[in-house]
């Protein structure tokens, strides 16, 4: 990925740890970029408000405020704030992860939906007065919720090979284009046949499905910033608002207008 550089910074979280678990509340203005870094600890990255994009070697995660991203220890990641973000991070030392929790923590990076229970568990850990036994119980249940939660569809996997990476980058750079796969493959120096064979192998998605997800992720960012459904559909190259709504629902499971309703509900 072009935005995940080979240089990785080792960054120690500026959090106070108790019983192997630390929490950190940070606010960032829109446009803030946290360059590629990693921690010795695992991290559950949650936006109490706002939307961020997390880039890892496996792809890009769009993380609106009803999502959280799990990052295993020493897993490289970069973060971009797409809006003003109130970040709440929970860190867990490797020894703490091996203490026999209810469910073993995920071994791979993933984004999950944040249920009311998971949100409450995350925020409860920020109470400095909680006892060690209560803290352990909260962490056990938090890890169980993270493990049991279905992966959110706000992930765009990136291909591994150089040729398929070029195809992906051409498509992302020209996200609103209606050019067909033949044109994109030619610009990337490969063929339709090669893309059709390798893209599903490397991303578990056909190129058509992958491209649609890229556009829907871009749409989520624009809708969250207040753009109308009609404007987003036009800017991202959909033939109509109805066609955009169908594509959006196929990926997200709900209509694009519900993004605005959810934002209005949280701000009221």
């Amino acid at each position: 990925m072009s935005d995940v550089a080979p240089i990785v910074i080792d960054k120690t979280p500026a959090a106070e740890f108790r019983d192997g678990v630390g929490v950190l509340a940070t606010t960032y203005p829109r446009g803030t970029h946290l360059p590629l870094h990693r921690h010795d600890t695992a991290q559950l990255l949650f936006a109490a408000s706002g939307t961020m994009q997390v880039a890892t070697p496996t792809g890009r995660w769009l993380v609106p405020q009803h999502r959280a991203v799990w990052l295993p220890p020493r897993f490289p990641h970069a973060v971009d704030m797409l809006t003003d973000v109130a970040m709440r991070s929970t860190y867990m030392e490797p020894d703490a992860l091996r203490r026999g929790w209810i469910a073993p923590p995920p071994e791979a990076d993933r984004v999950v939906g944040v249920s009311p229970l998971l949100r409450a568990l995350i925020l409860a850990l920020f109470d400095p007065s909680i006892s060690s036994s209560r803290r352990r119980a909260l962490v056990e249940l938090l890890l169980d919720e993270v493990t049991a939660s279905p992966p959110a569809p706000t992930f765009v996997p990136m291909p591994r090979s150089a040729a398929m990476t070029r195809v992906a980058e051409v498509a992302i750079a020209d996200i609103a284009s209606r050019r067909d796969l033949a044109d994109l493959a030619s610009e990337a120096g490969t063929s339709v046949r090669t893309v059709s064979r390798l893209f599903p192998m490397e991303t578990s998605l056909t190129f058509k499905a992958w491209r649609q997800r890229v556009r829907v992720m871009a749409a989520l960012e624009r809708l969250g910033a207040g753009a109308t459904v009609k404007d987003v559909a036009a800017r991202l190259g959909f033939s109509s608002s109805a066609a955009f709504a169908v594509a959006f629902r196929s990926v997200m499971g709900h209509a694009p207008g519900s993004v605005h309703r959810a934002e209005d509900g949280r701000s009221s």
Side-chain angles (χ1 to χ4, degrees):
M1 291 175 59
S2 59
D3 56 349
V4 178
I7 299 174
V8 180
I9 301 169
D10 285 310
K11 186 177 179 183
T12 302
E16 182 178 347
F17 283 79
R18 290 172 51 201
D19 307 314
V21 178
V23 293
L24 183 65
T26 319
T27 57
Y28 294 100
R30 178 176 181 165
T32 301
H33 173 68
L34 304 182
L36 191 68
H37 63 283
R38 62 191 174 197
H39 316 286
D40 287 335
T41 61
Q43 181 181 13
L44 184 65
L45 190 57
F46 168 60
S49 64
T51 300
M52 53 191 165
Q53 178 178 269
V54 179
T56 76
T58 56
R60 291 184 176 93
W61 302 97
L62 187 71
V63 189
Q65 74 179 75
H66 53 292
R67 303 279 192 257
V69 59
W70 172 263
L71 299 163
R74 300 198 62 76
F75 194 82
H77 56 284
V79 186
D80 288 282
M81 312 305 160
L82 304 181
T83 66
D84 294 343
V85 171
M87 188 184 294
R88 301 292 181 268
S89 292
T90 303
Y91 301 97
M92 301 176 197
E93 294 175 343
D95 285 347
L97 296 177
R98 294 191 287 266
R99 291 181 185 172
W101 307 113
I102 296 172
E107 295 182 356
D109 57 321
R110 66 197 301 243
V111 167
V112 298
V114 176
S115 65
L117 174 58
L118 181 54
R119 178 184 175 88
L121 291 168
I122 293 169
L123 298 181
L125 287 169
F126 282 81
D127 180 356
S129 67
I130 59 175
S131 65
S132 291
S133 60
R134 184 172 178 81
R135 188 182 185 86
R136 179 185 174 91
L138 290 171
V139 172
E140 284 198 63
L141 191 51
L142 180 147
L143 285 174
D144 190 51
E145 278 291 291
V146 170
T147 302
S149 298
T154 56
F155 176 53
V156 178
M158 294 297 287
R160 298 182 299 275
S161 67
M164 294 307 98
T165 298
R166 286 196 300 271
V167 173
E169 290 177 343
V170 168
I172 290 172
D174 198 10
I175 196 169
S177 174
R178 294 189 179 92
R179 296 160 61 194
D180 61 20
L181 178 54
D183 284 344
L184 294 173
S186 177
E187 181 172 338
T190 187
S191 67
V192 170
R193 182 177 179 181
T194 300
V195 174
S196 299
R197 178 174 59 86
L198 291 183
F199 223 86
M201 291 174 58
E202 297 185 15
T203 67
S204 299
L205 294 169
T206 65
F207 178 77
K208 181 179 179 180
W210 180 90
R211 193 182 196 186
Q212 181 163 286
R213 187 174 292 194
V214 168
R215 285 177 167 168
V216 168
M217 295 304 98
L220 268 175
E221 176 184 341
R222 288 164 170 80
L223 290 168
T228 66
V229 170
K230 182 178 180 180
D231 182 58
V232 171
R235 288 182 176 275
L236 293 180
F238 289 91
S239 58
S240 65
S241 295
F244 166 59
V246 170
F248 190 95
R249 185 181 289 275
S250 71
V251 174
M252 298 303 300
H254 56 79
S258 63
V259 176
H260 290 150
R261 290 193 291 274
E263 292 295 331
D264 291 343
R266 285 190 287 267
S267 61
S268 61

